[in-house]
Amino acid sequence: MSAPPWARYLLAVLAAIGVFVLLPANSVPSAVIYLAIHLSVLGALAYGLRVHRPRPRAAWLVILVGYTIYLVGNMVTQGAATGLLAPLPLPSGVDVLYLATYAAIGLGLMLLLAGRGALRDFAAFADALIILTGIGLFAFELLIGPVLDDATLSPAARLVLAFYPMADQLVLLALLWLAFAPGPRGPALSLLIGGVAAQTAGDAVFGLSSTSVAWTGVIAQPLWLLSFALVGGAALHPSMAGLGTRSGGQPWVPARWRFSLLVLASTAVMIRVISDAYGAGGLHTAVAAVAVVAVVVVFGLTFVRFRELMVDIDVYARTEAERRASEERYRSLAAELDRRVNERTAELTAINEGLRQAKEETERANRAKSEFLSSASHELRTPLNAVLGFAQLLERSDLSPDDRDSVTQILRAGRTLLAMIDSVLELARVESGQLALSIEPVNVEALIHETVDLVRPMAVGRGIRLVTPADVEQPPYVLADRRRIRQVLLNLLTNAVVYNRDDGSVTLGYAIVEGDRLRLSVTDTGPGIPAERQATLFTIFDRRLGSGHQQAGLGVGLALSARLIEAMDGSISVESEVGTGSTFSIELPLAAEPPAEARDGRVGAGAGAPALLTVLYVEDNLANLKLIERVLGARPGTRLLAAMQGRLGRDLARQHHPDLILLDLHLPDIPGEEVLRLLQDDPATRDIPVIMLSSALGNGQRLRDLGAAAYLSKPIDVAVFLAAVDRILEGGVAHA
C-alpha cells in the first residue's frame, strides 16, 4: 500500500534537506536545492487550492502569494551569496520583499481565523497575547535592543533589522491565536502551525547570529527549509480543505497546556525583569520601558484569564472524568458483548455439530433403508417371478377345468402378494424421499374412463352401477404423474366397489374449486365409516373395514395414496356417514391443455418377430432361466443362449452377436448395469438391443438412459414380456 501524496512529499523534501546540510554553504548546488525546495512549496499550495478546494480560498491564496514573494527574495539573496549577483546593500529591495512575506503569511492566518469564527474569541486572543508578550520581551532584549544600540549601522539599517523580529511577533500572534481557538483540527493544522513556527525559529537564530558572536546562523537555513516542507505537507493533506470552516472542534492546544504556557510566560517575564534590575549596570533604558509594559500586560491579562482558565480546567476535569467513565462503561459493555458472543458462538457451534451428526445419521439411515429396499425387492420378487411365470405358462396350456381353476387361484394369490410387496416398498420410497415423479398435464376425462374400464368387470359381478360425468368438448387437465394418479384413482375405485353393498352405485365427479385446483371425487353407497375411524384412515396398516367385510390386504393402499397425492402438490380427504356411504376427494393443481402432438398415442405392438433369431439371457437364477426358456420355447424360430455370469455374457455377446440380450440387474460377478456399460462401449455389441430384468423397482429410466432398450420388472407378465420382445426384434422401441 503506497503512502499518500503529502507523506511522500514530506519524505522527499526531508531527504533533500539532508543533502543540503551536507553541501558547502553558499555553494551553487546548495542554492539550487534551497530554491527547488522553496519552489516545491509553491507547487504544493497550488495543488491544494486546485484539488482540495479549501474554504476560505482567499486564506491559502494569500499564503501562496506570500511564499511566492518569499521565493523572489530568496532567489536574489542566494544569487548574491553565491557570487552570481552583486552584494546586497542594507537596506535593499529584498528587505521589502521579505517583510511583505510576513505580512502575507500573517494575513492568511487571520483569514483562517475569520473563517473559523475565532476573531471574536477573546480568550484565545488573550492567551496568545500573554505568551507573545513573554516571547517579545526576550526578542526585544536579544534582537531588537542590540540592533537599535549598534552605532555602526545606519538609522535606516537599524530600523529595517528591528522590523524583522517585530514582523515575526505579529505572525506568532496570529499563529498562537489559531492554535488556541476552537475549530476543525487535523494533520494539516498541525503541519501548518509547525511550518510557520519553524520559519520564525529560523529567523530568531539568524537574528541572534547577527547580534552575538555566541550564535551561529548555520542552522537557520535548515529551519527555513523545514518550514517549507511542513507548509507544503499541510497544503497537500486533504484536511486542509476544512481548516477555515465553522464545523466545531476543540482547540489545537488543550486547556491545561494553555494554563502551563501562561504561567511559564508570566514567570519568564518576572525573572527577566528581576535579573536585569539587580544585575550589573541595572536595566537598559529601552528594555526597562518595555519590561514595565510587559509586566502590566502580562499580569493584567493573566489575572483575567486565570479565572476563566480555572473554570475551563474545572470543566475539562469534569469532562475528562466523564470521558474516562464512558470509556470504562464502553470497555465493560464490550467485554460483556464479547462474552455473550463467545457463549452464543459456542452454543451455535454445538447446535451445528448436533445438526451435522443428525444429518449424517439420517443419511446413513436413508442409505440403509435404500439398501434394504433394493435387497428386499430382489429377494421377494425373484421367487415370485418363477411362481407367476410358470403359472402363466400353465394357464396358456390345455388344462382340465379343475386344473385351470387351480392355476387361476395361484395367479390371483401371487398377484395379490406382488401388489402387497409393491405397495409396501413404494410407500417406503415415498417416505424416504426417493420417489421419482414425472409431472405433466393429465386429461381428467381420459383418466376416469381408463380406471373405470379396469374396475368395471368387478363392479358388474356385484351388480354395482358406475356413474361417470358426461364428456365435455374441452376436458380439464391436472398437473400430476400419469401413472401415480391412475394408481391412486384405481385404488379409490376398487375400495368403492369392494366396500359397497350389492346393487349399489359408485359415482365419479369433478369440479373446479378456488385456487386454480380441481377436485376429483369418488362416492360409494357402502356402509360408511365411523367418525372415530376417519382420523386414522390414511395411516399405514389401517384397513378400511365396513360391516361384514374382511378383505385381504395390509392396509397401505390409502396411506400410499395420500403420500402420492401430497408428493404431487395435492391433497386427499374423506367425508362419510354411517349407513349412507363415503366420498373420497382428491385436489390437484389445474394445468393448461398440452399441444396436440403431446397427446399422441404410443407405438403399438408389432405383428410378430422374425424367425431364426438368437436371444442371449444373462441370469444366475436357474428357475428364471428355465422360465424364460419355456416362454421363448413357445415362440417359433427363437434360439436361447444362457450365461450365468456378467463377463461370460459379454463374451458370448461378442462371439455370437445375438439379436436380443436379456440382462438381469443382479449378477454374481459384476452388476448388470456394469455389463450394460461394457456392451454399450464395445463397437461389436453396441447395436444389440438389451432388455433389463430386475426385481428392484425404480431403475427403469436410469437404465434406459444408459442405453437399455426396455426395462421389465420381476415377476414378469408373460404377455407383456413377449410383446416387448416382439417390438424390439421388429426394430421398434419398447417402453415397458
Side-chain angles (χ1 to χ4, degrees):
M1 183 176 180
S2 60
W6 66 271
R8 294 200 299 270
Y9 171 82
L10 281 176
L11 292 175
V13 174
L14 291 176
I17 293 174
V19 175
F20 175 84
V21 172
L22 297 176
L23 292 174
N26 298 326
S27 63
V28 173
S30 65
V32 171
I33 293 178
Y34 188 95
L35 294 176
I37 295 175
H38 196 151
L39 187 62
S40 71
V41 73
L42 301 183
L45 287 166
Y47 177 88
L49 282 166
R50 182 175 61 85
V51 175
H52 301 314
R53 299 182 180 276
R55 292 176 299 165
R57 185 179 180 85
W60 290 92
L61 189 60
V62 169
I63 293 174
L64 172 61
V65 171
Y67 276 96
T68 303
I69 297 172
Y70 198 2
L71 175 63
V72 175
N74 277 339
M75 292 175 65
V76 176
T77 301
Q78 291 296 326
T82 56
L84 298 177
L85 297 176
L88 296 175
L90 184 68
S92 68
V94 175
D95 296 311
V96 177
L97 295 176
Y98 283 148
L99 292 174
T101 298
Y102 295 119
I105 294 175
L107 179 59
L109 295 177
M110 294 300 292
L111 290 174
L112 284 178
L113 281 168
R116 295 161 72 97
L119 290 180
R120 296 184 180 181
D121 188 347
F122 173 77
F125 173 74
D127 292 346
L129 189 57
I130 292 171
I131 295 173
L132 184 66
T133 301
I135 298 175
L137 180 60
F138 285 93
F140 190 88
E141 181 177 357
L142 298 176
L143 298 175
I144 300 176
V147 169
L148 295 177
D149 291 339
D150 191 351
T152 62
L153 298 174
S154 66
R158 281 182 283 178
L159 184 62
V160 168
L161 291 177
F163 272 145
Y164 278 106
M166 292 180 184
D168 277 329
Q169 299 304 302
L170 294 176
V171 172
L172 274 177
L173 176 62
L175 186 65
L176 291 171
W177 195 349
L178 181 64
F180 292 155
R185 299 170 62 179
L189 180 61
S190 300
L191 291 170
L192 179 62
I193 291 175
V196 177
Q199 179 181 337
T200 57
D203 292 345
V205 170
F206 182 78
L208 288 173
S209 66
S210 302
T211 59
S212 175
V213 295
W215 288 83
T216 175
V218 70
I219 64 172
Q221 287 187 327
L223 285 173
W224 289 329
L225 293 178
L226 178 62
S227 74
F228 298 155
L230 296 177
V231 172
L236 292 176
H237 198 279
S239 63
M240 63 90 70
L243 290 186
T245 60
R246 304 190 184 193
S247 57
Q250 296 296 320
W252 188 77
V253 178
R256 59 172 142 180
W257 287 107
R258 289 168 66 177
F259 180 75
S260 301
L261 289 174
L262 291 178
V263 172
L264 182 62
S266 303
T267 304
V269 170
M270 293 299 299
I271 292 174
R272 190 67 227 172
V273 170
I274 294 172
S275 175
D276 282 340
Y278 292 97
L283 284 173
H284 188 282
T285 304
V287 175
V290 172
V292 171
V293 174
V295 170
V296 172
V297 171
V298 168
F299 279 96
L301 292 176
T302 301
F303 178 76
V304 174
R305 288 295 297 139
F306 181 77
R307 299 186 56 169
E308 295 181 359
L309 284 174
M310 290 303 296
V311 175
D312 292 344
I313 291 173
D314 184 59
V315 172
Y316 173 80
R318 290 198 302 270
T319 304
E320 183 69 12
E322 293 174 358
R323 182 187 65 80
R324 291 179 179 176
S326 298
E327 289 181 353
E328 184 62 29
R329 287 195 298 271
Y330 169 77
R331 285 192 292 268
S332 177
L333 291 174
E336 178 66 16
L337 179 61
D338 288 341
R339 184 184 64 81
R340 293 186 179 182
V341 168
N342 292 335
E343 290 179 355
R344 185 57 179 163
T345 302
E347 292 175 1
L348 292 176
T349 302
I351 292 173
N352 289 336
E353 179 64 20
L355 291 176
R356 186 188 62 79
Q357 294 178 359
K359 179 182 178 182
E360 291 179 354
E361 290 293 335
T362 302
E363 291 175 349
R364 281 196 294 268
N366 286 336
R367 286 195 297 269
K369 181 183 288 187
S370 300
E371 294 171 359
F372 167 76
L373 291 176
S374 177
S375 176
S377 175
H378 177 72
E379 297 300 330
L380 293 173
R381 296 169 69 91
T382 296
L384 276 176
N385 181 53
V387 173
L388 292 177
F390 282 110
Q392 290 176 81
L393 290 178
L394 289 174
E395 188 182 36
R396 297 164 69 92
S397 61
D398 294 330
L399 298 173
S400 63
D402 291 340
D403 291 340
R404 184 168 298 280
D405 182 65
S406 298
V407 171
T408 301
Q409 293 297 327
I410 293 173
L411 287 173
R412 182 180 295 118
R415 285 167 179 159
T416 300
L417 178 59
L418 179 61
M420 292 179 183
I421 294 172
D422 288 345
S423 296
V424 172
L425 295 177
E426 189 162 8
L427 181 62
R429 280 197 302 274
V430 171
E431 292 184 338
S432 62
Q434 299 177 359
L435 181 67
L437 297 176
S438 177
I439 304 298
E440 59 180 326
V442 178
N443 188 319
V444 175
E445 285 190 352
L447 175 67
I448 291 175
H449 292 319
E450 183 180 357
T451 52
V452 167
D453 289 343
L454 292 174
V455 300
R456 192 179 302 279
M458 183 190 306
V460 170
R462 296 187 57 198
I464 295 174
R465 185 165 52 93
L466 298 175
V467 181
T468 58
D471 293 345
V472 295
E473 183 177 352
Q474 292 184 336
Y477 285 78
V478 293
L479 282 175
D481 184 291
R482 187 185 304 275
R483 185 168 71 88
R484 305 298 183 182
I485 187 60
R486 181 180 64 179
Q487 176 183 349
V488 171
L489 185 57
L490 184 59
N491 179 63
L492 296 180
L493 284 172
T494 302
N495 286 344
V497 173
V498 168
Y499 295 104
N500 211 329
R501 59 179 172 82
D502 294 341
D503 300 324
S505 66
V506 175
T507 303
L508 276 80
Y510 62 83
I512 307 299
V513 296
E514 61 179 354
D516 295 331
R517 298 173 78 83
L518 181 137
R519 178 181 295 149
L520 184 61
S521 59
V522 177
T523 303
D524 62 53
T525 55
I529 306 171
E532 62 271 13
R533 291 294 313 281
Q534 295 179 23
T536 60
L537 200 58
F538 298 104
T539 304
I540 187 171
F541 303 133
D542 185 275
R543 294 190 296 162
R544 174 188 173 186
L545 296 178
S547 301
H549 290 86
Q550 292 293 333
Q551 297 295 331
L554 293 175
V556 298
L558 287 177
L560 177 59
S561 297
R563 307 300 194 280
L564 290 174
I565 291 298
E566 291 171 358
M568 292 184 286
D569 193 25
S571 61
I572 186 170
S573 60
V574 62
E575 296 179 1
S576 184
E577 183 178 349
V578 176
T580 301
S582 305
T583 298
F584 286 81
S585 300
I586 299 170
E587 287 191 14
L588 288 167
L590 280 169
E593 182 178 359
E597 59 271 14
R599 303 194 300 270
D600 291 344
R602 294 179 178 181
V603 179
L612 302 175
L613 299 175
T614 300
V615 176
L616 171 63
Y617 186 21
V618 186
E619 168 67 76
D620 64 325
N621 187 285
L622 292 176
N624 290 337
L625 280 171
K626 190 66 176 177
L627 172 63
I628 297 301
E629 183 181 1
R630 293 282 299 275
V631 170
L632 293 179
R635 191 181 190 282
T638 302
R639 180 170 69 101
L640 180 66
L641 294 176
M644 299 186 68
Q645 292 184 344
R647 293 186 177 87
L648 177 60
R650 180 196 59 183
D651 295 340
L652 290 177
R654 290 175 56 86
Q655 180 179 355
H656 295 278
H657 204 275
D659 298 283
L660 175 64
I661 297 176
L662 305 176
L663 179 58
D664 187 68
L665 192 60
H666 299 279
L667 296 171
D669 53 347
I670 58 175
E673 184 176 331
E674 181 63 25
V675 177
L676 177 62
R677 287 196 182 94
L678 294 174
L679 293 173
Q680 292 296 310
D681 293 340
D682 192 339
T685 58
R686 182 178 301 157
D687 297 331
I688 303 175
V690 179
I691 295 179
M692 299 298 298
L693 302 173
S694 175
S695 301
L697 301 178
N699 297 309
Q701 187 59 49
R702 180 172 56 84
L703 294 172
R704 280 191 285 270
D705 292 341
L706 291 176
Y711 173 82
L712 298 176
S713 61
K714 298 177 184 179
I716 64 169
D717 185 305
V718 173
V720 174
F721 172 75
L722 288 175
V725 171
D726 289 343
R727 283 195 293 269
I728 293 177
L729 291 179
E730 288 177 358
V733 178
H735 294 275

